[in-house]
Amino acid sequence: MSDLAVFDQYESEVRGYIRSFPVIFDRAHGSVLVAEDGREYLDFFSGAGVLNYGHNNPVFTRALIEYLESGGIIHGLDMATAAKREFIAAFQRLVLEPRGLDYKLQFTGPTGANAVEAALKVARQATGRSNVVAFTNGFHGLSLGALAATGNEKYRAAGGVTLGGVTRLPYDGYLGEGVDTLDLFERMLDDPGSGLDLPAAVIVEAIQGEGGINVARPEWLRRLREITEARGILLIVDDIQAGVGRSGAFFSFEESGIVPDLVTVSKSISASGLPMALLLLRPEVDVWEPGAHTGTFRGNNLAFVSARAALETYWADSAFTDAIADRSAQLRDALTAIAADFPAAQFTVRGRGLMYGLASPSRPELAGAVSQEAFKHGLVIETSGGRDEVLKFLPALTISADELNRGLGVVREALATLG
Ligand code: PLP
């Protein structure tokens, strides 16, 4: 094991992932992390969804080095820069236009949480209402506005204040198969005695990442869109984790065909791991006064350079989504076989694209134990869900079939060891 004394001694107790993966990582390439002692680890975590195109993808490294050497602007507040103009043009041409989407782009502070804050604020301003509906097991970030929409008890408790302005409703599947949880929402909206204040917005993940890889059915999302549209409630899709190809399409809501009013995007949008976040707004919802949601680090021009390189390299045709579909089928088949081969764990397999979970509600401690055991054998894999009961498969979208197989083999062996 690497020497972690300096972290133990000087870094805050808040540190998290270092405890699950206690080695000192030094370098990385593609789906491989290399520790300081030279040991290699296969990465099934991808920086919690930041590294959809793998670590140090040479396409972006080259673009970034060229930009740095050319003396390009690094920090630009929200001033006009050439790098930003080229990113906006590429996003328009390669993402929005082909999908028939009409959104303005807001460059928020560079975290996902800040894009969520902006979405909630502008939705409240645009409607003149304050209540927001969020769902069970939703995760939207940890700043106070976003935290109010986040479900997890541990994070909410750390906020230290009363979190208000959000009504929690059951996500798709929360009450078991055969129950459409939107019946409750619709009933409450139409009943003046329900106690539900007409919301400004509903915020939803099409696939819940931190909440346990829960997938909303396309018909559920379509009904949610209909219910909200009919009542002038804005629909925010939080695509911070499930977006940028993770679900198998650029946006996670594409499969359902819905058009949200607002979309938050972050994590893999910069492609290189550099911080960047975006809020997409339907033009009618863009009611901001100039400078009303500001922030020092909205102009990370290096991030714009790698973001644009990614769009031009991976999103100009369907080759990338075809490759994701192949790996996705491989992952689903392998997880289905694992679930069948370890019946005592009573696993359910859920997910889409390259975002899958192996959930064991009857043995919630199993996912964490597998993650630890797998790490000993060179695999980085995380857990998610309210009780951390879901083993979360989030490999790079660029992972090879061999690497995917190798990691799945480690999971299988870990399960066999743990019994
Ligand atoms: N929304 C979703 C769906 C997320 O998965 C996350 C982070 O995991 C966030 C928001 C918050 O992003 P950040 O940690 O960059 O603030």
Side-chain angles (χ1 to χ4, degrees):
M1 284 277 146
S2 324
D3 182 4
L4 294 163
V6 72
F7 304 94
D8 294 341
Q9 197 170 350
Y10 298 114
E11 195 182 349
S12 160
E13 290 306 312
V14 80
R15 63 197 189 281
Y17 294 125
I18 186 178
R19 299 175 197 267
S20 312
F21 309 115
V23 297
I24 299 178
F25 293 108
D26 190 31
R27 283 163 294 121
H29 53 89
S31 289
V32 177
L33 282 154
V34 187
E36 216 173 23
D37 63 6
R39 181 146 190 223
E40 297 199 342
Y41 294 82
L42 200 52
D43 188 358
F44 270 20
F45 184 36
S46 304
V50 171
L51 298 159
N52 282 2
Y53 308 91
H55 293 265
N56 291 324
N57 186 315
V59 175
F60 316 137
T61 306
R62 207 170 313 116
L64 292 171
I65 288 173
E66 276 170 21
Y67 186 76
L68 282 168
E69 285 184 344
S70 76
I73 298 278
I74 302 291
H75 171 82
L77 294 165
D78 72 348
M79 291 187 279
T81 64
K84 188 173 182 180
R85 178 189 61 211
E86 275 145 39
F87 167 74
I88 294 173
F91 195 80
Q92 191 62 39
R93 182 168 57 84
L94 296 164
V95 177
L96 298 182
E97 274 169 18
R99 292 166 180 77
L101 295 170
D102 181 17
Y103 289 122
K104 296 283 229 38
L105 273 65
Q106 179 179 353
F107 293 81
T108 67
T111 62
N114 197 256
V116 170
E117 295 291 346
L120 297 174
K121 281 195 209 173
V122 81
R124 286 173 168 136
Q125 278 190 39
T127 58
R129 299 189 292 266
S130 67
N131 191 29
V132 166
V133 163
F135 293 99
T136 49
N137 287 306
F139 185 89
H140 302 289
L142 302 184
S143 53
L144 289 182
L147 184 58
T150 289
N152 190 294
E153 188 178 51
K154 174 176 93 178
Y155 299 128
R156 293 175 67 82
V161 294
T162 307
L163 298 165
V166 171
T167 302
R168 184 88 32 200
L169 286 173
Y171 190 70
D172 191 24
Y174 189 73
L175 297 172
E177 269 181 39
V179 179
D180 188 339
T181 57
L182 291 176
D183 288 344
L184 174 67
F185 186 27
E186 199 162 36
R187 175 78 204 277
M188 289 178 84
L189 283 168
D190 293 342
D191 175 6
S194 72
L196 175 68
D197 295 329
L198 183 65
V202 170
I203 183 164
V204 65
E205 294 158 270
I207 306 172
Q208 293 184 325
E210 299 308 293
I213 316 294
N214 306 307
V215 185
R217 289 167 301 131
E219 55 271 32
W220 188 86
L221 286 174
R222 284 194 286 272
R223 186 172 175 207
L224 181 62
R225 178 66 286 193
E226 278 163 24
I227 291 172
T228 49
E229 196 161 15
R231 293 162 177 84
I233 301 166
L234 298 175
L235 181 62
I236 306 168
V237 170
D238 181 346
D239 229 9
I240 287 167
Q241 187 158 157
V244 196
R246 181 54 64 189
S247 73
F250 190 89
F251 295 113
S252 64
F253 56 82
E254 280 178 54
E255 192 192 33
S256 69
I258 65 164
V259 178
D261 299 296
L262 295 145
V263 184
T264 53
V265 185
S266 183
K267 292 205 190 262
S268 274
I269 186 65
S270 82
S272 54
L274 289 165
M276 175 174 170
L278 277 181
L279 174 63
L280 309 180
L281 316 96
R282 281 203 307 115
E284 312 84 273
V285 183
D286 186 20
V287 297
W288 290 115
E289 289 294 322
H293 185 87
T294 183
T296 306
F297 289 111
R298 288 169 300 148
N300 185 351
N301 281 257
L302 268 183
F304 303 155
V305 167
S306 50
R308 178 190 134 208
L311 297 181
E312 290 176 347
T313 308
Y314 289 95
W315 295 98
D317 57 35
S318 64
F320 188 47
T321 45
D322 293 347
I324 300 170
D326 288 348
R327 289 291 78 70
S328 174
Q330 181 188 350
L331 179 57
R332 171 174 274 277
D333 289 350
L335 294 180
T336 307
I338 288 176
D341 292 345
F342 295 91
Q346 296 182 307
F347 282 127
T348 54
V349 177
R350 51 200 197 211
R352 207 168 74 216
L354 281 174
M355 186 170 187
Y356 266 88
L358 205 48
S360 179
S362 62
R363 286 179 65 189
E365 74 298 340
L366 186 59
V370 172
S371 166
Q372 276 179 28
E373 182 64 23
F375 187 63
K376 289 187 206 151
H377 296 92
L379 179 71
V380 173
I381 185 164
E382 247 298 350
T383 60
S384 80
R387 296 185 176 80
D388 288 322
E389 75 283 16
V390 182
L391 196 60
K392 184 183 182 192
F393 295 78
L394 218 65
L397 308 182
T398 52
I399 195 166
S400 70
D402 279 358
E403 287 169 324
L404 191 55
N405 258 341
R406 198 146 43 83
L408 286 160
V410 174
V411 169
R412 208 173 240 292
E413 275 167 35
L415 278 165
T417 306
L418 293 164

